[in-house]
Amino acid sequence: MEIFNGLLIVYSLIFRTFAPQIGYTVFEMMVIKYIFDRTLSFFGLLFLWPVLLIIAVLILCKMPGGPVMFKQIRVGKNGKHFTIYKFRSMTVSHSGSPISVAGEERITPFGAILRRYKFDELPELWNVFKGDMSFVGPRPDVPGYADELKGEDRELLRLRPGITGPATLKYRSEDEMIAKYVAQKQKEGDTRDTQEIALEYNDQVIYPDKVRINRYYLHHYSFAKDIEMLICTVLRRQMTYNHEII
């Protein structure tokens, strides 16, 4: 991980020094982003394969009876479907709901650790290397969200989904936020199923805000900000983006 951090910091310093003078267009920055994604994902897979192997073995030991990898169809650029790869963090038999709530029984104790430190996302380096995803962008949704956007919101499909991004950073504790909302509603006497309450909060509050943030990202794209977001993701730090702390 230190090698990863070093590459990000060096790349950030170089870009911040020369980009303002060169005056890159958005198209040129997108080309740089594409090359950067392929290069960094290649070296990420090259240097982090021992970590991936160790996590895979631990999953087999601590969560037996199921696959190491979690595979799911997600919506990618231009609405094209692709298979995302993550380390499994849940029990084999669960409801399959796309909304996760912190503390729910389907998330195993070891899976909770993986999710807390985002280690479950590491296999997505393969998705980035293949071109399905980018390091930075909107998180890839399951069918029924991004592909169902209406009007100008559909422009988000022009972007490759990312491992991290401004909305991901703002809602890095999304599971905990949803859990608090569910607990509050149940305290107020709401007798609906936990997943139904969680889905309500996601669809009415969190997801619309993510769309707002990601549209701003599309219209104010900055490769330097991409690098800053990557560094904040790896180092678990906050940053200022569009006049708010994420």
Side-chain angles (χ1 to χ4, degrees), residues 147-196:
D147 53 340
E148 296 295 329
L149 290 171
K150 306 296 182 183
E152 294 182 346
D153 290 343
R154 286 190 63 82
E155 65 186 3
L156 290 182
L157 293 174
R158 290 161 49 191
L159 293 167
R160 278 188 178 81
I163 293 178
T164 188
T168 305
L169 286 173
K170 180 174 179 178
Y171 290 100
R172 68 184 79 200
S173 300
E174 181 178 336
D175 291 5
E176 288 77 9
M177 293 172 64
I178 294 175
K180 288 180 181 179
Y181 177 81
V182 170
Q184 180 61 37
K185 295 293 287 186
Q186 291 175 337
K187 185 178 180 181
E188 293 170 358
D190 195 325
T191 58
R192 288 178 296 167
D193 179 78
T194 295
Q195 282 296 325
E196 186 177 349

Side-chain angles (χ1 to χ4, degrees), residues 72-84 132-133 138-149 154 156-162 207:
Q72 190 177 54
I73 297 298
R74 298 290 178 97
V75 178
K77 185 178 181 181
N78 298 322
K80 181 181 177 181
H81 288 187
F82 71 96
T83 301
I84 193 172
D132 296 327
M133 294 176 61
R139 283 297 296 167
D141 292 314
V142 295
Y145 281 92
D147 53 340
E148 296 295 329
L149 290 171
R154 286 190 63 82
L156 290 182
L157 293 174
R158 290 161 49 191
L159 293 167
R160 278 188 178 81
Y207 192 70

Side-chain angles (χ1 to χ4, degrees), residues 1 3 21 33 36-37 40 60 63 98 106 114 120 141 146 157 161 163 182-183 193 205 215 225 229-230 240:
M1 295 298 282
I3 296 174
Q21 300 174 21
K33 175 184 176 75
F36 173 80
D37 284 339
L40 192 62
L60 289 174
M63 296 189 289
R106 63 177 180 162
L114 293 178
D120 62 320
D141 292 314
L157 293 174
I163 293 178
V182 170
D193 179 78
V205 179
R215 287 192 64 196
K225 282 293 183 181
M229 282 183 246
L230 272 173
T240 300

Side-chain angles (χ1 to χ4, degrees), residues 216-227:
Y216 180 88
Y217 172 79
L218 173 64
H219 289 287
H220 301 83
Y221 179 71
S222 165
F223 184 74
K225 282 293 183 181
D226 271 11
I227 299 297

Side-chain angles (χ1 to χ4, degrees), residues 17-205:
T17 300
F18 294 106
Q21 300 174 21
I22 297 173
Y24 287 121
T25 65
V26 172
F27 174 77
E28 288 168 335
M29 285 193 290
M30 285 295 185
V31 172
I32 293 171
K33 175 184 176 75
Y34 183 85
I35 296 172
F36 173 80
D37 284 339
R38 300 301 165 277
T39 304
L40 192 62
S41 59
F42 172 77
F43 283 107
L45 290 167
L46 184 65
F47 289 115
L48 295 178
W49 72 263
V51 177
L52 297 173
L53 180 60
I54 291 171
I55 293 175
V57 172
L58 288 172
I59 289 174
L60 289 174
C61 295
K62 294 181 175 294
M63 296 189 289
V68 168
M69 290 292 181
F70 168 77
K71 298 186 291 184
Q72 190 177 54
I73 297 298
R74 298 290 178 97
V75 178
K77 185 178 181 181
N78 298 322
K80 181 181 177 181
H81 288 187
F82 71 96
T83 301
I84 193 172
Y85 297 93
K86 303 173 71 172
F87 281 125
R88 181 170 64 90
S89 61
M90 298 185 181
T91 57
V92 177
S93 57
H94 60 76
S95 64
S97 171
I99 308 302
S100 299
V101 182
E104 59 182 333
E105 293 182 357
R106 63 177 180 162
I107 300 176
T108 69
F110 183 63
I113 295 173
L114 293 178
R115 294 168 71 91
R116 179 181 178 185
Y117 295 101
K118 307 302 181 185
F119 288 145
D120 62 320
E121 312 276 3
L122 285 177
E124 290 170 38
L125 287 170
W126 177 244
N127 287 116
V128 176
F129 184 68
K130 286 174 57 186
D132 296 327
M133 294 176 61
S134 175
F135 273 104
V136 182
R139 283 297 296 167
D141 292 314
V142 295
Y145 281 92
D147 53 340
E148 296 295 329
L149 290 171
K150 306 296 182 183
E152 294 182 346
D153 290 343
R154 286 190 63 82
E155 65 186 3
L156 290 182
L157 293 174
R158 290 161 49 191
L159 293 167
R160 278 188 178 81
I163 293 178
T164 188
T168 305
L169 286 173
K170 180 174 179 178
Y171 290 100
R172 68 184 79 200
S173 300
E174 181 178 336
D175 291 5
E176 288 77 9
M177 293 172 64
I178 294 175
K180 288 180 181 179
Y181 177 81
V182 170
Q184 180 61 37
K185 295 293 287 186
Q186 291 175 337
K187 185 178 180 181
E188 293 170 358
D190 195 325
T191 58
R192 288 178 296 167
D193 179 78
T194 295
Q195 282 296 325
E196 186 177 349
I197 301 174
L199 194 64
E200 172 189 80
Y201 187 60
N202 176 77
D203 292 356
Q204 295 182 10
V205 179

